[in-house]
Every structure is written in C-alpha cells, then in structure tokens.
Amino acid sequence: MSFVIYDCIQFITFNADETFSKASFLEENEHMQVSLLKTEDKDKYLYINHYFKENVFRMYDQEFLGEFDEWKTFNKVPKEIQSFSLELNRIVKDKSISNVSIILIDYVDELEEENNIVTVHTTSTSIIEGLFKASIFESEGNIFIMDIN
C-alpha cells in the first residue's frame, strides 16, 4: 500500500533575465495567490522538482483544480480557467520571462511508478487548448505539466 505525499498544489515556473523582479511579480500576481518557493524547499517536492526552472512560484488556490473536474466540454470554459489562461498569456508575453511552465498536481504518490505525469507543449495562443488536456475528461494523469512557448 502506498501513500500520497502531497496533493492539490499548483506551480508556475520559468527562467528570467536580469531585469526580472521577483517582488514585482509577486505584487502583480497577488490575486493569483502566488508565493516564491524558496530554494531550500524545492527538494520537498519529490518526482517533480526536476521540472522546476530558476524561478518557482506556488499558487495557493486549493479549489482551483476542481474547475478541471467540471470542465466537460471544450467550448464551455469555466470562468476561473478562462481568467487563469489570460493571466498565463500576460506572463508569457513579459519580455523578461522565458520558458514558462505550469505544474498542476492532483496528488503525488510516494511510489514514483504510481504517478502518471502528463506533459503538454503549447503556445501562448493555445493556452486554453493546453489546459483542456488537464481536464478529467482528457487526462488520466495525477500530475499535469504544461510548457508554454
């Protein structure tokens, strides 16, 4: 029998140039309930921390993943996911930021082989399409990673 070691967590991770300000990013995205993940805390996230880029921010909306469970039809995008898509698009367009990824975690099992990681690559113009792959009706994974180019 295995155990869940952590669950219901979302991250946004990316690289940035020298003009990027973590403080400004936190302020501009406070409505998304983000906080900077400290370097010493990255090791706590077994099996996904190798997907982290130089900047890692955790999003704290515990109810957000539930929106994906309800997203049954592509054309009926839940309001919260639509808003999230617009925020991601704004972040991707920031010239000081590159290689943006989001990581949506339903749960992480202590046995690595029990985890099903779904990875999607998309563009800034196809964020909604990429996010739909995280829907319970599209994905059988417990960990969803979307790279946005």
Side-chain angles (χ1 to χ4, degrees):
M1 181 172 172
S2 63
F3 297 96
V4 170
I5 53 177
Y6 53 94
D7 64 356
C8 298
I9 300 174
Q10 307 104 60
F11 296 98
I12 183 165
T13 183
F14 51 83
N15 296 327
D17 67 20
E18 64 281 345
T19 64
F20 176 74
S21 165
K22 291 175 184 173
S24 292
F25 183 85
L26 287 167
E27 184 177 315
E28 291 167 5
N29 294 288
E30 67 183 338
H31 59 282
M32 289 176 48
Q33 302 176 24
V34 296
S35 68
L36 180 65
L37 186 66
K38 297 176 186 169
T39 302
E40 60 269 18
D41 291 337
K42 291 179 182 179
D43 289 339
K44 294 179 185 176
Y45 295 100
L46 296 174
Y47 313 132
I48 63 147
N49 55 12
H50 60 279
Y51 292 101
F52 291 161
K53 304 201 171 106
E54 69 183 51
N55 295 286
V56 182
F57 294 86
R58 182 171 172 187
M59 296 177 278
Y60 281 92
D61 184 351
Q62 293 293 337
E63 304 300 318
F64 180 66
L65 291 178
E67 297 299 323
F68 289 92
D69 293 342
E70 303 300 320
W71 192 5
K72 300 174 184 171
T73 307
F74 175 75
N75 293 331
K76 294 183 180 179
V77 183
K79 179 182 167 190
E80 291 79 4
I81 294 175
Q82 182 69 39
S83 295
F84 183 61
S85 170
L86 293 172
E87 294 300 326
L88 286 175
N89 195 22
R90 180 184 52 78
I91 291 167
V92 169
K93 288 182 178 181
D94 184 325
K95 299 290 185 207
S96 67
I97 294 174
S98 62
N99 302 317
V100 177
S101 294
I102 61 161
I103 303 171
L104 306 176
I105 300 167
D106 188 16
Y107 65 90
V108 174
D109 196 286
E110 69 176 343
L111 300 174
E112 186 172 14
E113 62 273 9
E114 295 294 319
N115 295 308
N116 186 13
I117 299 174
V118 173
T119 304
V120 171
H121 303 280
T122 192
T123 65
S124 62
T125 59
S126 301
I127 290 174
I128 288 290
E129 289 89 341
L131 289 173
F132 188 65
K133 294 187 183 333
S135 159
I136 193 170
F137 300 96
E138 286 287 314
S139 170
E140 294 186 20
N142 55 308
I143 302 168
F144 178 80
I145 300 170
M146 185 170 79
D147 299 320
I148 308 167
N149 299 324

